Amino acid sequence: MKNVMIAFSLFIVMIIGIFLSSNYITHSCNHLQNLNSTLENYIIKGNYQSAYNLSLNYISEWNKTSKYLTLYTHHEDLDYIDTEILKLTQYIKNKDRSEGLATVHVLKHLVSHIMAHERVSLGNIF
């Protein structure tokens, strides 16, 4: 009976951990998506100074978030985002609207890709 209780307790702790980590990933990715949308609006309006400052803020937010995301996601996805963020700052600095918008679009896709892969669903379990 003691072994059953220990196994059941570990199972409950594991389920709670899965849902907490899933909520953290969703919250973090939603925050990054909000930053992406704001960046996109700044670039469309031609407000490059605000866009550049926000892109630097995005880098610092990403560095804090990616430390914990490495526990849950593939490092390749995180490396792609690192690369795109660094490109974005240079595109904004040089006022390259089309490349900046394309990079923001790629960032949106990569962040939504992380959210989709880490969502608790039957497809992700099996």
Side-chain angles (χ1 to χ4, degrees):
M1 185 69 176
K2 183 178 174 183
N3 290 338
V4 172
M5 291 304 292
I6 290 173
F8 183 72
S9 298
L10 288 175
F11 177 73
I12 295 298
V13 168
M14 189 174 73
I15 295 296
I16 290 170
I18 288 170
F19 281 106
L20 289 176
S21 66
S22 178
N23 285 338
Y24 173 76
I25 290 170
T26 301
H27 175 73
S28 298
C29 288
N30 284 334
H31 178 66
L32 292 173
Q33 290 292 45
N34 290 336
L35 290 176
N36 285 330
S37 296
T38 306
L39 272 170
E40 186 175 39
N41 289 333
Y42 283 156
I43 293 171
I44 289 171
K45 293 177 182 175
N47 191 352
Y48 290 105
Q49 185 59 43
S50 296
Y52 184 72
N53 291 337
L54 187 59
S55 69
L56 295 178
N57 183 29
Y58 194 102
I59 290 172
S60 66
E61 289 290 323
W62 173 249
N63 287 335
K64 287 189 274 185
T65 302
S66 66
K67 289 178 190 175
Y68 300 108
L69 289 179
T70 56
L71 298 172
Y72 310 114
T73 60
H74 299 289
H75 68 89
E76 293 164 351
D77 293 338
L78 303 179
D79 291 341
Y80 293 145
I81 293 177
D82 285 335
T83 303
E84 292 299 321
I85 292 171
L86 294 176
K87 284 184 199 177
L88 179 65
T89 57
Q90 293 307 303
Y91 292 145
I92 292 171
K93 192 174 184 178
N94 292 315
K95 299 179 181 179
D96 190 345
R97 182 179 176 165
S98 61
E99 291 291 339
L101 288 173
T103 303
V104 169
H105 185 69
V106 169
L107 284 171
K108 283 182 174 182
H109 172 73
L110 290 171
V111 171
S112 66
H113 177 75
I114 289 174
M115 281 187 357
H117 278 276
E118 299 306 320
R119 187 172 297 130
V120 177
S121 65
L122 288 177
N124 288 340
I125 293 172
F126 297 109

